[in-house]
Amino acid sequence: MATLNVPHPVPTPEEDAQALRKACQGWGTDEKGVIEVIAHRNADQLRLIKLAYERLYNENLIKRLESELSGDFERAVYRWMHPPTEREALLAHVAVTESDHRVIVETACINSTNELLVVKKAYHALYKRSLEEDVASHTSGDMRKFLVALLGTYRYDGPDVNIRLAESEAKILHDAIKEKVFSHEEVIRILGTRSKAQLVATFNRYKDEFGVSITKDLSGKTSDDFVAALRVAVRCIVAPKKYYEKLLQSATSNPGYEDALTRVIVTRAEKDLKEIKELFEHRTNALLEQAISNKASGDYRKFLLALLGK
Amino acid sequence: MATLNVPHPVPTPEEDAQALRKACQGWGTDEKGVIEVIAHRNADQLRLIKLAYERLYNENLIKRLESELSGDFERAVYRWMHPPTEREALLAHVAVTESDHRVIVETACINSTNELLVVKKAYHALYKRSLEEDVASHTSGDMRKFLVALLGTYRYDGPDVNIRLAESEAKILHDAIKEKVFSHEEVIRILGTRSKAQLVATFNRYKDEFGVSITKDLSGKTSDDFVAALRVAVRCIVAPKKYYEKLLQSATSNPGYEDALTRVIVTRAEKDLKEIKELFEHRTNALLEQAISNKASGDYRKFLLALLGK
């Protein structure tokens, strides 16, 4: 469930556009006024507000907000103001240029087959190139092979599972991990092309047969980027909400995770952030709002907390 | 343009179903009667005939024809009777199990981005697996990397071309070919992920800069399967009709090419077989009908010639 909190009744798009215009005019920006509107509207309402704003003031609302705001707050607002699919394409594009493989793996593994396709179409429209070619030309070696397979495969998304295949491929994965040849081409093939249902069966079989989960077997073995990407892929395929919950734990307790914090809150607020927040609070015995308050400050903090439904 | 010849007025689907039933009944099959109907109907008409046949006789028409016919004729009819998209999925599936990489490369490179997507969806529906995972699990090494990239990439299909990129990537390709490291991961990346418009620009640049076409540079260097697949990919991307024309030349002058002969005629009869035939006749100074008559025989020959518009 979403954490996003939309008032009833909601103002018209024109009224919201006027309120945003007012917040942006004169000396200094009224950040509180901006947050009051945009952090309490869903993607479709924001789309209509942008159209109304453009019509009324002949100006692009996102560009105006960009010029008014700054820092982490600006970046969070910029991401939030884009429609969900374009936002994911945009996040992937930033990730490509910054070699942030984690985001690429999330995009490839958390989205369903058809959601990923829609993100790839949005990428074409925005950048006049394919996500695959950009990822391929910014990576090399095993990482390239793995990411191109993960992103490229139009995964079968039915529930059908081949149990014998799960057995044999669990063994292949275990042998590769035991021998520390993580980059074994069979590992890339299995994670990169099998359906999610099949992979979950394979990972379950792995645990039953070898007594330990594949994620645990992949943990702490090496600080290698490639192994980290494998682990992220497994976790995103098996339990995306749990993955996000752990990412929030890292983001609220370590320096330098602002992009991840923004990404989780902004991309999940309208989807499943409520469950992710509950998981977080169950695991850490602390309120997510408190953890974010300790980490973020100023308008950035206010904005994230508003998206969390405060 | 198509070579398919549909009569005007065309009988109703029920009349056609009755005629086919009649041709299949009694002692021996009236193959001429079968050809007269099915080789002169387009995909949509065949779809309606199959529905009418099922309704009238409570029997699957394709299965009935399979049991009545045999040999190359049966295989050609079986392929022809499937809707174009399913037919391509079916051809790809046969190619996977028979390790016929040429067909996989054709599927990946001749279809547009969205046509390929539709074939992949049909593959999911028919086989409950993805084409990518089947190809990956039936290949290995460089061939796997190449085919997974070719099939997987949702290629950008706009006309935009980056000239500087074409220059630098033409050089990368040339260096790899000169040093005979065809499997160089950059070769796989470029052919596997760039848009067709970009690749055509790169190949043109290759010829301008190095005085010889990339296809010529890839020809006759080695009998390696992988280099052959690279060459097929380049030819399918640059000039699919010319590619098919050359394939018809091989198929009509060498033994063991029946599947290729069937594939070209059956898959292109309703699309561009007229242009392919004209190219063939221009290049060989012989009628395509004559070349096929020399190669094929019996009802198989009659069927192919009928699809050619005879």
Side-chain angles (χ1 to χ4, degrees):
Chain A
M1 276 181 66
T3 53
L4 189 73
N5 206 338
V6 177
H8 296 285
V10 68
T12 66
E14 288 72 21
E15 287 166 348
D16 280 339
Q18 283 157 4
L20 288 169
R21 178 72 169 189
K22 203 171 147 219
C24 289
Q25 270 178 329
W27 286 93
T29 311
D30 171 16
E31 283 87 358
K32 197 162 160 274
V34 171
I35 293 172
E36 244 166 44
V37 177
I38 66 168
H40 298 287
R41 301 293 182 274
N42 65 31
D44 200 49
Q45 290 161 342
L46 290 174
R47 187 179 61 81
L48 295 174
I49 293 169
K50 276 180 282 180
L51 288 174
Y53 190 94
E54 181 102 37
R55 201 166 56 237
L56 287 172
Y57 308 112
N58 201 24
E59 185 182 64
N60 182 296
L61 175 58
I62 297 183
K63 287 211 176 114
R64 178 65 188 251
L65 290 172
E66 251 191 305
S67 76
E68 296 284 333
L69 313 175
S70 65
D72 290 327
F73 179 45
E74 178 208 326
R75 273 193 293 279
V77 168
Y78 184 80
R79 280 149 182 66
W80 175 247
M81 293 299 291
H82 280 84
T85 304
E86 273 186 34
R87 181 196 298 145
E88 286 215 47
L90 187 150
L91 286 167
H93 186 250
V94 173
V96 167
T97 50
E98 294 179 353
S99 295
D100 189 350
H101 303 136
R102 171 189 284 278
V103 177
I104 304 294
V105 176
E106 287 175 11
T107 307
C109 296
I110 290 181
N111 285 298
S112 72
T113 298
N114 283 313
E115 286 166 350
L116 177 58
L117 175 66
V118 176
V119 172
K120 291 200 243 180
K121 286 184 180 176
Y123 199 97
H124 283 199
L126 284 170
Y127 305 109
K128 309 290 176 208
R129 291 189 305 276
S130 68
L131 176 52
E132 293 92 322
E133 70 186 299
D134 277 0
V135 167
S137 68
H138 281 80
T139 50
S140 65
D142 296 322
M143 187 64 91
R144 176 190 288 172
K145 277 179 251 166
F146 184 51
L147 295 180
V148 166
L150 273 189
L151 278 173
T153 301
Y154 186 70
R155 284 187 203 264
Y156 176 63
D157 55 0
D160 313 68
V161 162
N162 181 332
I163 295 295
R164 291 227 326 256
L165 195 67
E167 285 173 22
S168 69
E169 296 192 339
K171 190 165 176 342
I172 294 173
L173 292 174
H174 186 257
D175 289 351
I177 293 172
K178 209 175 65 184
E179 292 162 26
K180 299 204 178 190
V181 280
F182 304 100
S183 63
H184 193 292
E185 67 168 48
E186 290 292 280
V187 175
I188 294 176
R189 173 185 66 78
I190 294 169
L191 293 182
T193 67
R194 291 300 185 197
S195 77
K196 289 189 185 176
Q198 181 67 39
L199 284 173
V200 168
T202 301
F203 301 150
N204 286 339
R205 177 71 200 177
Y206 190 108
K207 188 161 184 193
D208 292 348
E209 180 77 15
F210 307 109
V212 56
S213 73
I214 182 169
T215 32
K216 196 153 273 173
D217 258 356
L218 285 170
S219 289
K221 292 253 161 162
T222 149
S223 62
D224 188 64
D225 257 11
F226 181 73
V227 181
L230 289 182
R231 204 165 53 224
V232 171
V234 173
R235 291 168 58 209
C236 288
I237 287 167
V238 172
K241 283 174 208 154
K242 218 168 126 189
Y243 167 79
Y244 278 129
E245 181 269 319
K246 280 229 178 181
L247 187 55
L248 282 180
Q249 281 193 46
S250 303
T252 52
S253 51
N254 297 302
Y257 265 89
E258 285 72 17
D259 279 350
L261 179 59
T262 300
R263 188 169 73 250
V264 181
I265 303 297
V266 160
T267 59
R268 311 314 294 188
E270 209 178 328
K271 290 183 175 165
D272 50 12
L273 190 53
K274 202 164 168 14
E275 289 91 337
I276 296 168
K277 173 173 144 60
E278 283 163 6
L279 273 175
F280 180 95
E281 297 177 349
H282 183 73
R283 304 272 290 219
T284 63
N285 250 331
L287 289 175
L288 179 57
E289 285 89 344
Q290 192 56 53
I292 289 177
S293 292
N294 294 343
K295 169 78 181 178
S297 63
D299 298 312
Y300 176 52
R301 166 163 66 194
K302 283 183 207 145
F303 182 54
L304 296 184
L305 295 180
L307 289 178
L308 263 166
K310 246 201 123 162
Chain B
M1 276 181 70
T3 54
L4 189 73
N5 206 340
V6 177
H8 297 284
V10 68
T12 67
E14 287 72 20
E15 287 167 348
D16 280 338
Q18 284 157 5
L20 288 169
R21 178 73 169 187
K22 204 171 147 218
C24 289
Q25 272 178 328
W27 286 94
T29 310
D30 171 16
E31 284 85 358
K32 197 164 160 274
V34 171
I35 293 172
E36 243 166 44
V37 177
I38 67 168
H40 298 288
R41 302 292 181 272
N42 64 33
D44 200 49
Q45 291 161 343
L46 291 174
R47 186 178 62 79
L48 295 173
I49 293 169
K50 277 181 281 181
L51 288 173
Y53 190 93
E54 182 102 37
R55 202 167 53 237
L56 288 172
Y57 308 112
N58 201 23
E59 185 182 63
N60 182 296
L61 175 58
I62 297 184
K63 287 210 175 115
R64 178 66 188 250
L65 290 172
E66 252 190 305
S67 76
E68 295 285 334
L69 314 175
S70 65
D72 290 329
F73 180 45
E74 178 208 327
R75 272 193 293 280
V77 168
Y78 184 80
R79 281 149 180 65
W80 175 246
M81 292 301 289
H82 281 83
T85 303
E86 273 186 34
R87 181 196 298 146
E88 286 215 48
L90 188 151
L91 287 167
H93 187 249
V94 173
V96 167
T97 51
E98 295 179 352
S99 295
D100 189 350
H101 303 136
R102 172 190 282 277
V103 178
I104 305 293
V105 176
E106 286 175 11
T107 307
C109 296
I110 290 181
N111 284 298
S112 72
T113 297
N114 282 313
E115 286 165 350
L116 177 58
L117 175 65
V118 176
V119 173
K120 292 201 244 179
K121 286 183 181 177
Y123 199 97
H124 283 199
L126 285 170
Y127 306 108
K128 309 289 176 208
R129 291 189 306 277
S130 68
L131 177 53
E132 293 92 322
E133 69 186 299
D134 277 359
V135 167
S137 67
H138 281 80
T139 50
S140 63
D142 295 324
M143 187 64 91
R144 176 189 289 171
K145 277 179 251 166
F146 184 51
L147 295 181
V148 167
L150 273 188
L151 278 173
T153 302
Y154 186 72
R155 282 186 205 264
Y156 176 64
D157 55 359
D160 313 68
V161 163
N162 180 333
I163 294 296
R164 293 232 317 261
L165 195 67
E167 284 174 20
S168 67
E169 296 193 340
K171 189 164 177 341
I172 293 172
L173 293 174
H174 186 257
D175 289 352
I177 293 171
K178 208 175 66 184
E179 292 162 27
K180 299 203 177 191
V181 281
F182 303 101
S183 63
H184 194 292
E185 67 168 46
E186 290 292 281
V187 174
I188 294 176
R189 173 185 66 77
I190 293 168
L191 292 182
T193 68
R194 292 300 186 197
S195 77
K196 290 188 183 175
Q198 181 68 38
L199 284 173
V200 168
T202 300
F203 301 151
N204 286 339
R205 177 69 199 179
Y206 189 108
K207 188 161 185 195
D208 291 348
E209 179 77 14
F210 307 109
V212 56
S213 73
I214 181 168
T215 33
K216 196 153 272 175
D217 258 356
L218 285 170
S219 290
K221 292 253 161 162
T222 150
S223 61
D224 187 66
D225 257 11
F226 180 74
V227 181
L230 289 182
R231 205 167 49 226
V232 170
V234 172
R235 289 168 58 209
C236 288
I237 287 167
V238 171
K241 284 175 208 154
K242 217 168 127 190
Y243 167 79
Y244 278 128
E245 180 269 318
K246 280 228 176 183
L247 186 55
L248 282 180
Q249 280 193 46
S250 303
T252 52
S253 51
N254 297 303
Y257 266 90
E258 285 72 17
D259 279 349
L261 179 58
T262 300
R263 188 169 74 249
V264 180
I265 303 296
V266 160
T267 59
R268 311 313 293 187
E270 209 178 327
K271 288 182 175 167
D272 49 12
L273 190 52
K274 201 164 174 2
E275 289 90 337
I276 296 168
K277 174 173 142 62
E278 283 164 6
L279 273 175
F280 180 96
E281 296 176 349
H282 183 74
R283 303 271 291 219
T284 62
N285 249 330
L287 288 176
L288 178 57
E289 286 88 345
Q290 192 55 53
I292 290 177
S293 293
N294 294 343
K295 168 79 181 177
S297 63
D299 298 311
Y300 176 52
R301 167 164 64 194
K302 282 183 210 144
F303 182 55
L304 296 184
L305 295 180
L307 289 178
L308 263 167
K310 244 200 125 165

